[in-house]
């Protein structure tokens, strides 16, 4: 039987996340967006509240919860600030390769210490020449005795300059190209790791995005995640898990825009009556609501498949793509419903619109999601 009712545990988790989002994130969101700064104290508080590292098993210091729980929390936090939520969500993105592919020894050495204290992690795949074409990675990790020596540069890395641990994708044999792509666990304090740029972004400005340069960074062979040459598979499996979370974050952003617009059009008087009495605007609101509901259900479906251990590549791509497009459309419509006031920084809807744009770009652009969906269909899946 299918049920759309959350379990009492998930309802409690949702209420806790909503309270935290409204009391501790929402009041400071605009200020940190304006400053383009990462509010470390809010991440400290999220850690104390147990709202970070949710999907890391309990024995390694995480929440021991699944993808669905992660979506429930992410939607709530996302409604308060997408940038701050991205900071929290990227810990899941960066730790998922360890949860799925690390040996017990690696989990004890890296995952447990990361989660037992309030620390951040980053997922380092993208390079200047390897964006949508992620297989075109040029960073190398060449074997040398008991170590690998990493050289290369990663760009647009969320949490890049505020993390203590990186999962890095590099080639162990450049002549074999993508077939030698391998994942490595790289502590951020190793000699040769340098932050060479911190990005100044259009939206999600409270999240940190940086370029990281690796120069002769020596990691022990024991830091290899999974098998040599399996890096692309590690990345894809991680993204399949994580995209349900991006869909949930998108749902949160869109939901917030819908709620603000619903309230605003009832109090804005033009032509002697609230503009909410105009049927054209009511229809806009209805379209926004339909999309928000559908986005949530798609994110839950992708997460549920993941929690059941079932394939979810197509479904997580559908959820991410639909929800991110929904966030963009709904926030744009919310600005429209606010009229000129919506375009001004005094009102919160312009931030939602700027934040939403990134949801269509990171963790695979929405064009790439459409490619994943179409390929899956053409293979009869
Ligand atoms: C703020 C931010 C945070 C990020 N965080 C991370 C992170 O933590 N870790 C990480 O590894 N990466 C991260 N990224 C990188 C992100 O995943 C890439 O930006 C994204 O995959 C697109 O790559 P690109 O920017 O090189 O664009 P390009 O690949 O150059 O794409 C440009 C345009 O062409 C389209 N396009 C490209 N190829 C095709 C095709 N075959 N068919 C149709 N259309 C196509 C794209 O959809 C896009 O519209 C982040 C990016 C941003 C902006």
């Amino acid at each position: 039987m299918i049920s759309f009712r959350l379990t009492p545990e998930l309802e409690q988790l949702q209420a806790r996340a909503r309270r935290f989002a409204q009391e501790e994130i929402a009041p400071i969101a605009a200020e940190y967006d304006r400053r383009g700064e990462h509010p470390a104290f809010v991440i400290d508080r999220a850690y104390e509240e147990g709202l970070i590292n949710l999907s890391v098993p309990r024995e390694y210091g995480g929440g021991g919860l699944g993808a669905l729980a992660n979506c429930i929390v992410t939607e709530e936090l996302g409604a308060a600030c997408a940038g701050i939520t991205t900071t929290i969500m990227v810990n899941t993105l960066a730790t998922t390769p360890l949860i799925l592919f690390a040996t017990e020894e690696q989990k004890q050495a890296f995952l447990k210490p990361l989660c037992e204290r309030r620390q951040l992690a980053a997922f380092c795949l993208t390079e200047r020449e390897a964006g949508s074409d992620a297989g075109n990675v040029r960073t190398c990790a060449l074997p040398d005795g008991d170590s690998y020596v990493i050289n290369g540069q990663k760009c647009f890395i969320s949490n890049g300059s505020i993390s203590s641990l990186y999962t890095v994708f590099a080639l162990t044999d450049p002549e074999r190209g993508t077939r030698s792509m391998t994942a490595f666990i790289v502590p951020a304090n190793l000699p040769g790791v340098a932050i060479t740029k911190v990005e100044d972004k259009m939206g999600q400005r409270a999240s940190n995005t940086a370029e990281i340069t690796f120069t002769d960074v020596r990691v022990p062979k024991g830091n290899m995640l999974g098998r040599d040459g399996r890096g692309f598979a590690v990345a894809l499996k991680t993204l399949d898990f994580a995209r349900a979370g991006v869909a949930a974050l998108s749902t949160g952003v869109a939901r917030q825009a819908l709620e603000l617009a619903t309230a605003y059009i009832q109090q804005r008087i033009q032509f002697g009556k609230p503009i909410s009495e105009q049927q054209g605007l009511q229809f806009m609101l209805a379209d926004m609501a339909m999309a928000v509901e559908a986005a949530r259900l798609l994110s839950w479906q992708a997460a549920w498949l993941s929690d059941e251990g079932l394939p979810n590549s197509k479904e997580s791509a559908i959820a991410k793509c639909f929800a991110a497009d929904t966030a963009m459309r709904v926030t744009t419509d919310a600005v429209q419903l606010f009229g000129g006031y919506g375009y001004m920084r005094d009102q919160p809807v312009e931030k939602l619109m700027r934040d939403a744009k990134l949801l269509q770009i990171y963790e695979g652009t929405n064009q790439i999601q459409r490619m994943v969906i179409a390929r899956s269909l053409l293979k009869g899946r």
Side-chain angles (χ1 to χ4, degrees):
M1 279 294 287
I2 287 180
S3 167
F4 294 103
R5 178 168 297 151
L6 297 181
T7 61
E9 293 76 27
L10 283 177
E11 273 183 355
Q12 279 170 18
L13 181 67
Q14 185 183 48
R16 187 148 55 90
R18 184 169 296 174
R19 198 167 46 244
F20 179 76
Q22 295 314 315
E23 291 175 5
E24 307 206 32
I25 298 183
I28 55 118
E31 174 64 18
Y32 279 81
D33 170 68
R34 215 168 286 126
R35 286 201 222 162
E37 224 179 272
H38 144 74
F41 66 95
V42 173
I43 308 302
D44 291 345
R45 284 285 304 123
Y47 182 81
E48 286 163 16
E49 288 286 330
L51 295 173
I52 190 164
N53 303 325
L54 280 180
S55 53
V56 173
R58 277 190 195 282
E59 63 263 41
Y60 307 111
L65 297 166
L68 182 59
N70 203 46
C71 283
I72 304 287
V73 169
T74 304
E75 179 183 330
E76 296 306 323
L77 305 187
C81 179
I84 295 171
T85 308
T86 286
T87 309
I88 291 171
M89 190 176 70
V90 167
N91 253 36
T92 302
L93 179 67
T95 53
T96 299
L98 279 92
I99 298 167
L100 297 179
F101 297 96
T103 61
E104 183 53 33
E105 206 180 335
Q106 290 173 327
K107 286 178 183 167
Q108 292 293 341
F110 298 107
L111 190 57
K112 204 169 176 199
L114 182 89
C115 299
E116 279 181 348
R117 278 180 293 137
R118 196 295 256 167
Q119 293 185 75
L120 293 173
F123 178 86
C124 308
L125 177 62
T126 303
E127 300 180 8
R128 295 276 159 207
E129 304 305 323
S132 298
D133 187 7
N136 199 34
V137 156
R138 303 282 166 86
T139 295
C140 288
L142 301 182
D144 183 30
D146 287 342
S147 313
Y148 284 92
V149 179
I150 305 179
N151 278 289
Q153 196 172 65
K154 298 289 178 178
C155 67
F156 301 158
I157 304 303
S158 301
N159 292 354
S161 71
I162 53 174
S163 285
S164 54
L165 195 76
Y166 302 135
T167 39
V168 177
F169 295 83
L171 307 179
T172 54
D173 179 358
E175 284 189 4
R176 286 176 57 230
T178 316
R179 278 175 296 135
S180 80
M181 198 202 280
T182 307
F184 291 91
I185 309 165
V186 182
N189 61 2
L190 287 184
V193 176
I195 305 303
T196 36
K197 187 179 181 197
V198 176
E199 302 291 348
D200 184 9
K201 303 190 296 295
M202 170 202 285
Q204 300 206 17
R205 290 173 52 75
S207 70
N208 168 274
T209 314
E211 177 186 83
I212 308 170
T213 303
F214 300 89
T215 310
D216 292 332
V217 177
R218 194 169 277 275
V219 293
K221 282 205 161 156
N223 285 29
M224 181 191 285
L225 255 181
R227 293 206 312 276
D228 192 346
R230 298 289 293 155
F232 207 55
V234 171
L236 293 184
K237 201 111 187 95
T238 298
L239 290 168
D240 283 350
F241 178 89
R243 281 174 182 150
V246 181
L249 169 52
S250 307
T251 305
V253 171
R255 181 187 96 191
Q256 180 66 7
L258 173 63
E259 283 176 10
L260 290 170
T262 305
Y264 181 79
I265 64 171
Q266 291 178 79
Q267 51 98 359
R268 174 68 176 163
I269 309 289
Q270 286 293 277
F271 301 99
K273 58 185 180 184
I275 56 173
S276 59
E277 289 183 22
Q278 305 294 342
Q279 194 182 48
L281 303 193
Q282 290 177 6
F283 282 8
M284 273 175 81
L285 217 53
D287 286 343
M288 291 156 79
M290 286 190 279
V292 171
E293 294 289 323
R296 178 179 300 116
L297 294 180
L298 287 172
S299 81
W300 286 12
Q301 174 185 240
W304 178 84
L305 286 167
S306 179
D307 286 342
E308 293 294 306
L310 296 167
N312 76 337
S313 289
K314 184 179 76 178
E315 291 77 6
S316 65
I318 289 175
K320 191 272 182 186
C321 190
F322 183 86
D325 282 350
T326 292
M328 195 67 249
R329 202 171 54 247
V330 169
T331 55
T332 307
D333 284 350
V335 169
Q336 191 68 21
L337 288 171
F338 271 74
Y341 298 95
Y343 201 69
M344 302 302 158
R345 292 257 151 116
D346 306 340
Q347 292 289 341
V349 284
E350 62 82 32
K351 172 181 182 296
L352 293 170
M353 187 175 161
R354 285 185 287 109
D355 288 352
K357 188 64 221 169
L358 182 53
L359 301 164
Q360 294 179 306
I361 296 172
Y362 66 12
E363 295 204 22
T365 66
N366 278 11
Q367 282 81 12
I368 296 303
Q369 306 308 318
R370 285 178 168 87
M371 277 169 55
V372 171
I373 297 161
R375 277 185 191 155
S376 196
L377 289 170
L378 296 170
K379 282 184 185 158
R381 289 183 193 142

